[in-house]
Amino acid sequence: MSRVLLMCLAVSLFGCATSHVVGYTADGAAIDEITLKQSNVYVIECARPILIDTGTAADMSDLNAALADLGLRPYQFGLAIVTHAHHDHAGLAKLLQSGYGVPIMLGAADADQAARGEDDELKPQNLTASFLKPWLVKDFPQFTPDILVSAPIDLKPYGVNGTVLPMPGHTAGSI
């Protein structure tokens, strides 16, 4: 347990974005996992890559470094899918959208939360999360998603044989 806490503390203080392939789409596109300070994001390497989640507002340099390792730059993304409007998943959505022209997809029921730029009441899912909760930043740059998910959305127009589904639970707008 103390080893896990030390690792979480070291990553949060010093960062160490790493990436590795965790799977492939049905069409054979690689899915890369990028480990950031507080969360993981994923890249689907299709013709116009798709970013799943964005990390915290403080993760841009680590994200850029991991993307460079993959031969990518933020402006190359055809879409960023934000799975829910919490600071560790939506923190860079505004910058990617306004600074790099990346369209942002978010669950419709989280749109008000994104417009406020703050987490709802966090419900830790494990002991480590309960320990870290009082020290977490709970806000992020406000944004308005380009695409709202309230029903299944086909990703074929974005180059992936897949579907984004509403999955309320962690937040009302989880996808």
Side-chain angles (χ1 to χ4, degrees):
M1 177 65 168
S2 61
R3 186 180 200 185
V4 170
L5 289 175
L6 270 173
M7 186 175 78
C8 287
L9 180 61
V11 168
S12 67
L13 290 175
F14 306 111
C16 71
T18 60
S19 67
H20 62 280
V21 175
V22 294
Y24 296 89
T25 67
D27 299 335
I31 302 170
D32 300 295
E33 179 182 60
I34 297 174
T35 302
L36 298 171
K37 293 178 182 111
Q38 291 184 25
S39 63
N40 297 326
V41 301
Y42 298 86
V43 175
I44 301 175
E45 292 190 49
C46 49
R48 292 273 333 259
I50 296 174
L51 182 65
I52 301 173
D53 285 329
T54 68
T56 71
D59 282 332
M60 196 66 212
S61 63
D62 288 340
L63 180 60
N64 271 330
L67 291 176
D69 288 346
L70 297 172
L72 296 172
R73 299 280 182 234
Y75 65 84
Q76 294 175 290
F77 285 98
L79 179 67
I81 301 170
V82 177
T83 60
H84 62 285
H86 280 165
H87 75 280
D88 55 333
H89 295 263
L92 289 171
K94 177 67 175 178
L95 176 60
L96 290 168
Q97 182 184 54
S98 62
Y100 295 98
V102 179
I104 304 295
M105 181 182 286
L106 179 73
D110 278 2
D112 288 342
Q113 195 169 312
R116 287 191 316 273
E118 61 185 31
D119 293 351
D120 57 2
E121 179 60 30
L122 297 177
K123 298 169 188 89
Q125 303 297 306
N126 57 46
L127 184 59
T128 302
S130 296
F131 175 76
L132 295 174
K133 180 182 174 183
W135 291 282
L136 293 176
V137 172
K138 295 171 181 71
D139 61 349
F140 53 90
Q142 303 165 338
F143 69 97
T144 301
D146 300 289
I147 304 159
L148 292 172
V149 179
S150 57
I153 294 183
D154 186 2
L155 290 177
K156 284 181 188 154
Y158 300 96
V160 173
N161 185 12
T163 305
V164 174
L165 302 170
M167 298 291 290
H170 187 60
T171 66
S174 291
I175 56 177

